[in-house]
């Protein structure tokens, strides 16, 4: 948010004009400070067509020409001074009282006129406070005032003081360059606190679709569930009012505000039937609980960009008080206007509600729209879309390509949505679509269209890029769900879809919520399991296929939950990855495995131990140090240790992983590429990562017998290993047929139930004694 | 009875001059009377002056010094002046003497006014002081204000402006007392007698047939994020951003004072760290003259509005030095072609502290260079007054120059 010289002078001005105890004092300060703030030679206050106070003209000059400024003259001729530029702003909406400034040199620009309007309004507020005080004082002379009157006097003083303090708070938020949302919240909460009851909302026009109003901030409780629609109507009306009745930053002529003709509609919009806008009328009265909505337009550079709307129950306040509330609101609206002045603030609004990369609405705007859709009472569908393989593109081709791809995805999304379906970018590679007026099945077919559209190749920076999308769909209606929950449900469903494999649609079911909660409790149990002796390592041999002799043992993590029993690694490892517990888990497993391996070394010095390493570990700068320390503690030679990495883990942050891998190689440990064939199977990865062992994923081995393509893939990987001089291990060897096929294709090493099941630590020595001691040593 | 014929006054032989002139004089004589006399003689050079401006320190025997001035003047000029925080003229910065500026010749008209009890009602004092322009009908007019340095605030200038209006530019300075912040004095009178006042403002309405130029320069820029003045009264700032002002200020400055207990060094440090308030035409600078670590407050010589935003200000030595010359160049540029008769300078005392002795020497040297033989003199003030455009007139950390043709 930019800081304009004018932005903060308004609060200063308000402080100054609020200080004097009487009208003449306030008027004098008002004219002087207005002139000083605007570098004007002349400052004047005109009340009821007469110059009530003027500075800068000396004592012997006619003040009459100043009245010309009120009627719109851009220049006034003053005796002895000549022609001066003039600007005038009304103190109140009835346009009887004015603040006028005149100066030599430069004419007053939009920002200055705007500030003058703000000054005029706070002066109006201060003068009214003083009038109330004066009236109360006069009353006191006649008779002993009643308790209530005394209270009102006190309140008037307190409110004025509080208004000043609140404006100071807002100013602090602006001056300390707080985020825009913080400032907007400070304004609504300040106004709500000051007005005492009801709620205050700030609605801003969507910079990309000015007819659409965004609920930018709300403070206090709206008494009505249909408040969103009523607020929008009131805000739109206040803005239209400002637009039709006046343009305070017009280049010529005085500041003008809406000429008020009818006291009943003075409050911008009243929801109980008094307004011309039918939309505001029915909702509240239908409920039998009327709501008074008071709106004040917010302007930036002469354009109404939104409204501040206060909402209180009808009849809660006397009409006088109502006027006071409106005036207070206008003072705040002025503050918002000044806070938003300048292109950068508008840009900030745009950025807050629109993603700059794709031009799509942001999460905040989606939530706003979702709330609106839910308010209609009809069921609403939300699609949560997550891109598959986006990260790999971003990492390998760079962020610029990533952004380009996101923009292209946004284009495809738009193309496969109906006009009324709103797409939004939620963050990273996540998008969401709000689908109204379609059945659940209709939403699923939109999701399928999205997946189809995203699956087609994208041309990014001259290359064809293939990605995919997983979509979660959730459907709900108010009041069973709110906007955030509905989006969360769709997110959960998307997560399920993603787990099931790329390019799928999953519809949210309540059980997913339970499972998610279950995962949550499991993850806290896992935390305890690490220190609580519930974890153990099993070891599965990797054998030489020719002689069936073990060359290594792979350490496999097992969790025995005190109540759930054995928890599958397929469940808890991903959970640990998500929560970051995997680092602690990995450290523990490494220490245990190396310690166990050191025990075998006495009898089988060539035997190696292999330990799985997660993606989080391999990018952890401390990982190589951890390995070194574990080697030291176990007293194990580094070349007896094989760390198994998956390709996916490596590409998540290629450069950091590469740095870590180099450190590990420097230590002298060996590296294996796990699950080869399932990920990118990229030759370039193999070239860049100094791998000592390739492990062919068990899924290929298992289907090798029935699927010629899988067999040829296995054969290709074996050939690749041979040509690069990297030994290859076939995983998941379960049948004699598989073993025979692997051997006939020249595979040297294997792992699987046929060759040896995972066994607990204590069983390893017996196994080794049985297999190795029976086998003649080389 | 035959009325006795009234005798015409005896005309003393005095040198007359048909040209307008501006002269400066300085004396360091031990004896105050001699000091006043010598400085005045040097300034007027035997010519008949219409205005004599006396500047000196606050510890001198002022009535005796002013007697010396009165005895040295030719004719019956208005004699005005004040105590200072040091003076300056073409010879360099001056301390511990008396400096006199005198001007005369055809086309000048001088009226004086005085307002007392400045601290009781500044605005009213300003209105009274503005009476000095009554009856001045020269085409060019200005008011030179010499006010008490410890009481003067914005409202004084506002009071003057409310009467004079935009047609009359205002200049001046707030009297000093060698940075003791105890008591300052103002002088006003004529050859018959000069009154020594305190808590007063002396105003000189100067009318001239020739143009008058005024220059204003400060050479500071705001730095860092702004602070909101959340609690202030008069010149006292109690809170910045809702915290004790002293704490916030200390945190923001990268060179906190070494000893918070030492009142003198704290005051000295304060002078060097002004802050500014954003205005349409730049920053409105405020000098801090003191801080109170216990109360947590900051003291300014001019008032500060609660709700204003304040920035720390920064500058460098070179810019500060150049400021004085800049100010006088502006004053000269505002007038006709050709050198002025002389220039009167009001320079801020906090600038003097900040510049240090060598910096002040360089400043005055720069001023002399810029003025290229035009006589000039002035003093180090507790606040500078200049209103040419707009309605604001009280400044700090600023150099104000008045050039006369």
């Amino acid at each position: 948010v930019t800081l304009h010289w004018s932005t903060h002078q308004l609060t200063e001005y308000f402080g100054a004009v609020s200080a004097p105890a009487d009208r003449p004092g306030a008027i004098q300060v008002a004219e002087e400070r207005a002139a000083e703030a605007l570098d004007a030679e002349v400052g004047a206050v005109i009340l009821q067509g007469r110059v009530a106070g003027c500075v800068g003209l000396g004592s012997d000059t006619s003040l009459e020409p100043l009245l010309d400024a009120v009627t719109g003259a851009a220049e006034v001729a003053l005796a002895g001074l000549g022609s001066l530029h003039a600007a005038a702003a009304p103190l109140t909406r009835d346009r009887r009282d004015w603040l006028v400034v005149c100066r030599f040199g430069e004419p007053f620009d939009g920002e200055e006129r705007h500030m003058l309007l703000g000054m005029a309004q706070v002066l109006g507020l201060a003068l009214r406070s003083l009038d109330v005080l004066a009236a109360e004082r006069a009353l006191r002379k006649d008779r002993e005032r009643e308790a209530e009157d005394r209270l009102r006097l006190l309140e008037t003083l307190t409110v004025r003081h509080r208004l000043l303090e609140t404006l100071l708070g807002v100013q602090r938020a602006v001056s300390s360059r707080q985020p825009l949302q913080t400032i907007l919240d400070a304004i609504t909460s300040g106004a709500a606190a000051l007005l005492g009851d009801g709620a205050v909302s700030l609605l801003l026009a969507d910079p990309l679709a000015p007819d659409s109003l965004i609920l930018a901030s709300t403070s206090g409780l709206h008494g009505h569930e249909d408040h969103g629609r009523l607020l929008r109507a009131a805000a739109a009306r206040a803005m239209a009012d400002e637009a039709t009745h006046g343009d305070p930053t017009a280049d010529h002529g005085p500041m003008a505000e809406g000429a008020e003709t009818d006291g009943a509609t003075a409050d911008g919009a009243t929801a109980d039937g008094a307004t011309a806008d039918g939309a505001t009328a029915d909702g509240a009265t239908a409920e039998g609980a009327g709501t008074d909505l008071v709106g004040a337009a917010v302007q930036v550079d002469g354009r109404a960009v939104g409204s501040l709307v206060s909402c209180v129950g009808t009849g809660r306040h006397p009409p006088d008080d109502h006027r006071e509330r409106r005036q207070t609101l206008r003072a705040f609206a002025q503050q918002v206007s000044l806070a938003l002045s300048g292109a950068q603030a508008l840009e900030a609004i745009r950025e807050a509600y629109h993603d700059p990369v794709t031009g799509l609405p942001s999460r905040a705007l989606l939530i706003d729209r979702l709330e609106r859709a839910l308010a209609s009472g009809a069921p609403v569908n939300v699609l949560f879309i997550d891109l598959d393989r986006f990260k790999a593109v971003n990492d390998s081709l760079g962020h610029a390509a990533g952004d380009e791809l996101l923009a292209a995805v946004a284009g495809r999304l738009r193309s496969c949505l109906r006009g009324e379906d709103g797409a939004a970018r939620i963050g990273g590679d996540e998008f969401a679509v709000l689908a109204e007026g379609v059945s659940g099945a209709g939403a699923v077919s939109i999701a399928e269209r999205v997946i189809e559209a995203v699956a087609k190749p994208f041309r990014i920076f001259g290359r064809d890029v293939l990605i995919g999308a997983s979509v979660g769909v959730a459907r709900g209606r108010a009041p069973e769900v709110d906007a955030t929950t509905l989006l969360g449900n769709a997110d959960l469903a998307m997560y399920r879809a993603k787990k099931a494999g790329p390019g799928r649609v999953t519809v949210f079911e309540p059980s997913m919520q339970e499972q998610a909660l279950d995962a949550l409790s499991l993850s806290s149990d896992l935390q305890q399991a690490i220190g609580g002796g519930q974890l153990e390592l099993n070891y599965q041999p990797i054998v030489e296929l020719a002689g069936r002799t073990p060359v290594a043992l792979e350490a496999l993590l097992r969790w025995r939950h005190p109540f759930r029993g054995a928890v599958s690694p397929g469940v808890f490892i991903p959970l640990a990855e998500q929560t970051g517990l995997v680092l602690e888990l990995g450290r523990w497993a490494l220490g245990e495995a190396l310690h166990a391996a050191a025990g075998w070394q006495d009898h089988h010095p060539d035997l190696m131990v292999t330990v799985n390493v997660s993606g989080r570990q391999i990018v952890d700068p401390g990982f190589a140090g951890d390995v070194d320390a574990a080697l030291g503690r176990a007293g194990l030679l580094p070349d007896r240790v094989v760390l198994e990495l998956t390709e996916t883990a490596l590409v998540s942050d290629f450069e950091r992983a590469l740095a870590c891998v180099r450190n590990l190689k420097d230590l002298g440990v060996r590296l294996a590429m796990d699950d080869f064939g399932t990920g990118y199977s990229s030759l370039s990865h193999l070239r860049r990562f100094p791998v000592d062992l390739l492990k062919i994923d068990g899924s290929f081995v298992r289907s090798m017998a029935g699927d010629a393509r899988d067999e040829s893939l296995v054969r290709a990987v074996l050939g690749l290993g041979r040509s690069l001089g990297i030994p290859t291990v076939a995983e998941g060897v379960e049948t004699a047929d598989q073993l025979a096929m692997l051997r006939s294709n020249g595979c040297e090493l294997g792992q699987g139930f046929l060759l040896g099941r995972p066994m607990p630590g204590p069983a390893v020595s017996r196994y080794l004694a049985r297999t190795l001691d029976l086998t003649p040593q080389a | 009875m035959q009325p006795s014929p009234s005798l015409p006054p005896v005309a003393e032989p005095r040198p007359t001059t048909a040209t307008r002139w501006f002269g400066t004089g300085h004396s360091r004589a031990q004896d105050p009377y001699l000091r006043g006399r010598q400085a005045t003689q040097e300034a007027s050079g035997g010519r008949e002056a219409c205005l004599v401006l006396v500047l000196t320190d606050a510890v001198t025997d002022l009535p005796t010094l002013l007697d010396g001035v009165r005895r040295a003047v030719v004719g019956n000029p208005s004699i005005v002046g004040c105590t200072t925080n040091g003076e300056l003229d073409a010879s360099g910065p001056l301390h511990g003497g008396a400096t006199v500026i005198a001007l005369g010749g055809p086309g000048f008209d001088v009226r004086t006014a005085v307002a007392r009890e400045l601290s009781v009602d500044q605005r009213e004092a300003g209105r009274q002081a503005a009476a000095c322009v009554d009856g001045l009908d020269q085409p060019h007019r200005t008011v030179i204000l010499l006010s008490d340095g410890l009481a003067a605030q914005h409202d004084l200038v506002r009071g003057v402006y409310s009467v004079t209006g935009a047609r009359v530019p205002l200049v001046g300075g707030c009297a000093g007392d060698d940075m003791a912040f105890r008591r300052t004095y103002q002088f006003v009178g004529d050859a018959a007698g000069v009154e020594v006042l305190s808590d007063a403002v002396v105003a000189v309405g100067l009318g001239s047939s020739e143009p008058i130029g005024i220059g204003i320069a400060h050479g500071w820029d705001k730095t860092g994020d702004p602070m909101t003045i959340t609690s202030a009264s008069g010149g006292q700032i109690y809170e910045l951003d809702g915290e004790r002002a002293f704490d916030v200020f200390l945190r923001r400055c990268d060179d906190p004072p070494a000893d918070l207990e030492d009142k003198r060094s704290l005051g000295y440090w304060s002078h060097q760290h002004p802050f500014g308030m954003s205005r349409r035409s730049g920053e409105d600078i405020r000098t801090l003259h003191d801080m109170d670590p216990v109360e947590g407050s900051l003291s300014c010589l001019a008032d500060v509005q609660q709700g204003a935003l304040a920035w720390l200000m920064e500058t460098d030595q070179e810019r500060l030095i150049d400021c004085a010359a800049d100010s006088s160049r502006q004053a000269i540029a505002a007038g006709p072609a050709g050198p002025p008769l002389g220039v009167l300078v009001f320079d801020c005392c906090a600038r003097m502290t900040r510049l240090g002795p060598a910096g002040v020497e360089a400043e005055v040297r720069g001023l002399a260079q810029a003025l290229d033989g035009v006589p000039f003199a002035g003093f180090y003030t507790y606040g500078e007054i200049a209103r040419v455009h707009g309605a604001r007139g009280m400044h700090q950390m600023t150099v104000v120059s008045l050039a006369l043709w």
Side-chain angles (χ1 to χ4, degrees):
Chain A
V1 175
T2 38
L3 272 179
H4 283 255
W5 62 273
S6 62
T7 310
H8 31 83
Q9 292 218 331
L10 197 59
T11 319
E12 191 178 339
Y13 187 79
F14 186 69
V17 297
S18 296
D22 55 15
R23 266 177 94 88
I27 290 168
Q28 182 181 52
V29 168
E31 71 211 21
E32 278 176 358
R33 299 301 174 91
E36 287 177 18
L38 289 158
D39 277 342
E41 278 76 17
V42 178
V45 173
I46 293 168
L47 300 178
Q48 319 248 359
R50 289 183 49 239
V51 180
C54 173
V55 67
L57 287 186
S59 42
D60 53 348
T61 309
S62 162
L63 303 176
E64 279 302 303
L66 288 173
L67 298 176
D68 294 346
V70 171
T71 56
E75 291 190 9
V76 293
L78 296 165
L81 288 177
S83 181
L84 279 79
H85 300 288
L91 268 49
T92 47
R93 294 200 94 177
D94 59 18
R95 302 159 67 81
R96 282 185 306 181
D97 304 335
W98 296 79
L99 182 62
V100 175
V101 285
C102 307
R103 87 174 169 222
F104 291 113
E106 293 170 45
F108 295 94
D109 65 20
E111 185 183 351
E112 291 173 325
R113 287 168 175 277
H114 204 137
M115 188 174 82
L116 187 66
L117 180 61
M119 289 177 164
Q121 284 175 356
V122 296
L123 173 60
L125 204 61
L127 290 182
R128 233 184 342 279
S129 285
L130 288 168
D131 288 347
V132 173
L133 274 176
E136 297 288 354
R137 283 199 194 101
L139 211 64
R140 188 166 42 180
K141 278 182 192 165
D142 299 342
R143 58 185 159 87
E144 198 55 34
R145 284 179 302 118
E146 289 169 18
E148 198 185 332
D149 291 337
R150 219 174 290 133
L151 208 64
R152 276 184 66 196
L153 172 67
L154 199 66
E155 267 176 8
T156 308
L157 280 171
T158 319
V159 165
R160 194 169 61 166
H161 182 68
R162 270 170 46 206
L163 176 56
L164 178 59
E165 291 211 322
T166 312
L167 290 176
L168 278 177
V170 172
Q171 171 147 318
R172 259 164 68 194
V174 175
S175 67
S176 56
R177 293 185 173 79
Q178 295 282 318
L180 185 65
Q181 191 60 49
T182 310
I183 296 172
L184 301 183
D185 290 346
I187 289 167
T188 54
S189 68
L194 206 60
L195 293 176
D197 58 6
V200 174
S201 297
L202 174 65
L203 294 101
L204 294 175
D206 182 339
L208 296 186
D211 289 341
S212 170
L213 288 171
I214 302 166
L215 187 58
S217 173
T218 286
S219 284
L221 282 176
H222 285 286
H224 203 279
E225 64 184 37
D226 197 21
H227 68 267
R229 194 166 58 88
L230 296 175
L231 282 177
R232 281 189 172 76
R237 200 182 143 75
M239 287 166 72
D241 208 27
E242 197 68 60
T244 40
H245 295 301
D247 176 11
T249 55
D251 284 336
H252 297 291
M255 312 278 181
E257 284 185 280
E260 191 176 284
T261 49
D262 177 2
T265 58
D267 304 329
T270 55
D272 38 15
T275 66
D277 186 345
T280 62
D282 50 0
T285 43
E287 294 291 323
T291 310
D292 282 339
L293 293 172
V294 179
V298 170
Q299 298 195 321
V300 172
D301 302 330
R303 221 155 30 88
V305 298
S307 275
L308 208 54
V309 180
S310 129
C311 167
V312 281
T314 300
R316 298 273 304 269
H317 299 275
D320 261 9
D321 193 29
H322 216 59
R323 202 162 53 239
E324 195 65 39
R325 292 173 75 82
R326 192 181 71 234
Q327 201 60 31
T328 303
L329 205 63
R330 292 171 70 79
F332 271 90
Q334 208 59 43
Q335 198 78 17
V336 185
S337 305
L338 290 169
L340 297 181
S341 284
Q344 283 181 19
L346 282 183
E347 185 64 15
I349 299 174
R350 205 182 66 76
E351 278 180 14
Y353 296 106
H354 292 276
D355 164 44
V357 174
T358 60
L360 290 179
S362 64
R363 185 180 194 280
L365 185 50
L366 178 83
I367 292 284
D368 184 67
R369 287 186 178 171
L370 208 46
E371 275 168 357
R372 254 187 282 173
L374 285 168
S376 72
V380 175
N381 300 289
V382 175
L383 278 61
F384 199 107
I385 302 156
D386 184 276
L387 301 183
D388 302 324
R389 295 187 297 278
F390 170 75
K391 196 161 170 36
V393 174
N394 206 38
D395 291 343
S396 54
L397 298 182
H399 291 294
D403 286 353
E404 184 93 3
L405 179 57
L406 288 172
V409 168
R412 298 250 176 110
L413 276 184
R414 284 192 196 98
S415 72
C416 59
L417 297 179
R418 303 168 310 158
E420 62 269 35
D421 299 328
R425 183 174 170 211
I426 301 300
D429 57 352
E430 293 169 341
F431 295 83
V433 171
L434 161 66
E436 289 180 86
V438 290
S439 63
V444 170
S445 75
I446 296 175
E448 283 161 351
R449 282 209 303 277
V450 167
I451 289 172
E452 202 183 341
V454 173
K456 290 176 190 149
F458 288 90
R459 190 79 186 158
I460 302 296
F461 289 179
R463 290 180 188 222
D464 278 336
V465 172
L466 268 175
I467 57 164
S470 302
V471 183
V473 178
R475 181 178 171 83
R477 69 165 75 203
E480 284 103 45
V481 286
D482 60 19
T484 317
T485 310
L486 192 58
L487 187 63
N489 289 349
D491 186 3
L492 212 54
M494 181 283 297
Y495 180 68
R496 280 314 181 87
K498 204 158 183 85
K499 263 175 77 173
R504 297 192 193 219
V505 183
T506 304
V507 177
F508 173 79
E509 287 162 26
S511 65
M512 291 177 184
Q513 197 75 51
E514 287 156 28
Q515 285 160 16
L517 286 174
D518 197 41
L520 212 62
S521 84
L522 202 60
S523 105
S524 83
D525 289 351
L526 182 57
Q527 177 99 52
Q528 289 169 8
I530 296 173
Q534 299 169 23
L535 296 174
E536 59 176 46
L537 291 180
N538 279 6
Y539 298 90
Q540 185 175 30
I542 296 172
V543 304
E544 222 168 9
L545 295 184
R548 306 279 282 264
T549 51
V551 293
L553 286 144
E554 180 179 359
L556 299 167
L557 201 51
R558 296 288 181 264
W559 178 15
R560 203 163 295 280
H561 191 282
F563 309 117
R564 296 170 191 254
V567 181
S568 158
V571 172
F572 75 83
I573 299 283
L575 197 65
E577 289 268 6
Q578 276 172 38
T579 56
L581 272 177
V582 75
L583 287 179
E584 211 177 324
L585 213 56
R587 244 192 313 273
W588 178 86
L590 185 72
E592 281 290 305
L594 266 54
H595 177 73
W600 313 326
Q601 291 290 307
D602 297 341
H603 299 289
H604 313 288
D606 295 332
L607 196 70
M608 293 181 283
V609 65
T610 83
V611 182
N612 289 284
V613 174
S614 85
R616 285 218 192 205
Q617 283 174 292
I618 202 68
V619 294
D620 178 16
F623 180 60
D626 285 348
V627 173
D628 195 20
L631 283 169
R633 273 197 304 276
L636 194 65
L637 288 173
D639 66 353
R640 298 296 186 275
V641 177
V642 183
L643 298 178
E644 295 193 12
L645 307 161
T646 63
E647 212 180 355
T648 335
L650 290 175
V651 298
S652 71
D653 187 343
F654 197 83
E655 293 308 321
R656 277 169 76 179
L658 190 61
C660 182
V661 160
R662 285 194 182 125
N663 289 336
L664 290 171
K665 290 303 286 184
D666 288 346
L667 285 179
V669 297
R670 300 175 199 235
L671 300 177
M673 184 78 85
D674 204 0
D675 303 339
F676 196 74
T678 56
Y680 305 91
S681 307
S682 155
L683 199 58
S684 72
H685 289 162
L686 276 187
R687 267 215 319 271
R688 291 192 67 187
F689 285 108
V691 174
D692 303 285
L693 200 65
L694 275 184
K695 293 184 86 175
I696 306 175
D697 190 65
S699 60
F700 300 112
V701 175
R702 272 190 292 274
S703 55
M704 194 167 57
D707 189 330
R709 275 185 310 182
D710 280 349
E711 194 196 341
S712 63
L713 193 136
V714 170
R715 207 180 294 135
V717 174
L718 290 169
L720 186 69
R722 261 196 306 279
S723 63
L724 291 174
I726 304 173
T728 312
V729 182
E731 293 184 278
V733 183
E734 289 166 4
T735 66
D737 283 354
Q738 289 164 355
L739 181 62
M741 281 178 88
L742 288 166
R743 287 180 67 168
S744 69
N745 279 311
C747 180
E748 292 164 353
L749 301 169
Q751 188 179 15
F753 278 13
L754 182 72
L755 306 171
R757 289 174 175 261
M759 63 198 97
V764 172
S765 312
R766 287 196 301 278
Y767 163 79
L768 290 177
R770 199 171 66 236
T771 51
L772 287 176
D773 295 346
L774 291 177
T775 315
Q777 296 283 313
Chain B
M1 199 173 103
Q2 190 87 12
S4 61
S6 62
L7 297 171
V10 178
E12 288 176 45
R14 62 178 73 141
T16 54
T17 171
T19 55
R20 293 152 63 82
W21 59 274
F22 178 106
T24 72
H26 181 73
S27 167
R28 287 174 183 280
Q30 281 288 318
D31 180 70
Y33 179 87
L34 281 180
R35 202 184 310 161
R37 201 176 71 180
Q38 284 175 4
T40 308
Q41 280 169 344
E42 189 188 339
S44 51
R47 295 166 290 193
E48 183 173 340
C50 58
L51 177 67
V52 171
L53 175 62
V54 183
L55 305 167
T56 189
D57 60 70
V59 291
T60 298
D61 171 1
L62 295 171
T64 309
L65 181 136
L66 290 164
D67 279 347
V69 172
R70 286 196 298 117
R71 292 302 293 267
V73 298
V74 181
N76 190 16
S78 294
I79 301 173
V80 296
C82 63
T83 54
T84 72
N85 299 305
E87 295 114 50
L88 58 95
D89 70 7
S91 67
L94 308 165
H95 281 280
T99 304
V100 171
I101 298 153
L103 57 96
F108 280 125
D109 191 359
V110 172
R111 313 281 166 100
T112 61
V114 62
R116 294 152 216 264
E117 297 190 316
L118 177 59
S119 55
V120 175
D121 188 342
Q122 300 199 28
R123 199 180 276 275
E124 180 51 33
R127 280 193 281 263
Q128 287 175 20
C132 68
V133 292
D134 287 352
L136 279 184
D137 52 7
Q138 274 72 15
H140 306 282
R141 294 180 296 171
T142 186
V143 173
I144 303 170
L145 293 163
L146 302 170
S147 80
D148 187 286
L150 302 177
Q153 308 265 323
H154 283 252
D155 274 352
L156 164 67
V157 183
R158 290 186 182 123
V160 177
Y161 187 63
S162 70
V163 176
T164 59
R167 279 172 289 177
V168 183
L170 310 176
V171 292
C174 302
D177 63 352
D178 276 313
M179 318 269 297
F181 295 96
R182 277 195 292 271
R183 191 163 190 185
T184 72
Y185 299 92
Q186 301 77 47
F187 329 132
V188 61
D190 54 22
V194 178
E195 198 177 354
V196 175
L197 303 160
S198 201
D199 194 20
V201 55
V202 169
V204 178
L206 177 64
S208 173
S209 56
E210 303 305 315
I212 285 166
I214 294 170
I216 310 165
H218 66 63
W220 291 78
D221 290 318
K222 55 191 183 192
T223 174
D225 286 333
M227 304 163 273
T228 303
I229 300 174
T230 42
S231 172
S233 166
Q236 290 291 110
I237 304 176
Y238 299 104
E239 280 183 13
L240 291 169
D241 290 338
E243 263 187 84
R244 279 160 41 101
F246 178 80
D247 301 350
V248 174
F249 201 78
L250 223 56
R251 199 164 60 227
R252 288 294 195 92
C253 291
D254 46 15
D255 60 335
D259 186 0
L260 295 182
E261 301 289 312
D262 180 358
K263 198 101 180 87
R264 198 176 159 77
S265 80
L266 194 61
Y268 181 81
W269 185 82
S270 307
H271 298 157
Q272 307 198 19
H273 293 80
F275 65 92
M277 289 179 289
S278 189
R279 295 291 179 256
R280 177 179 175 273
S281 52
E283 282 73 48
D284 189 4
I285 301 187
R286 292 285 186 283
T287 314
L288 296 175
H289 75 85
D290 204 3
M291 309 189 161
D292 186 340
V294 181
E295 191 188 48
S297 64
L298 310 172
S299 308
C300 303
L301 281 175
D303 57 2
V304 172
Q305 182 62 53
Q306 182 169 308
L309 282 198
W311 276 262
L312 280 186
M313 302 296 284
E314 64 176 6
T315 186
D316 57 54
Q317 184 80 351
E318 209 166 303
R319 285 183 63 193
L320 277 186
I321 287 173
D322 290 345
C323 241
D326 271 357
S327 165
S328 65
R329 274 192 289 262
Q330 277 182 35
I332 291 172
L341 295 178
V343 174
L344 185 54
V345 179
F346 305 90
D347 196 348
C348 182
C349 68
R351 282 173 41 82
M352 183 176 70
T353 331
R354 168 82 187 214
L355 283 170
V360 173
E361 290 276 354
E363 170 191 39
V364 182
R365 224 172 21 247
L367 195 55
Q369 228 159 30
L371 289 174
D372 193 23
V374 171
F376 68 92
F379 71 100
Y380 291 95
T381 67
Y382 275 157
E384 303 76 56
I385 296 166
R387 191 218 67 83
V388 184
H389 301 295
R392 278 193 308 125
M394 186 60 104
H395 305 270
Q396 301 224 300
M397 277 280 179
T398 300
V399 188
V400 170
S401 307
L402 169 70
L404 299 171
W405 277 265

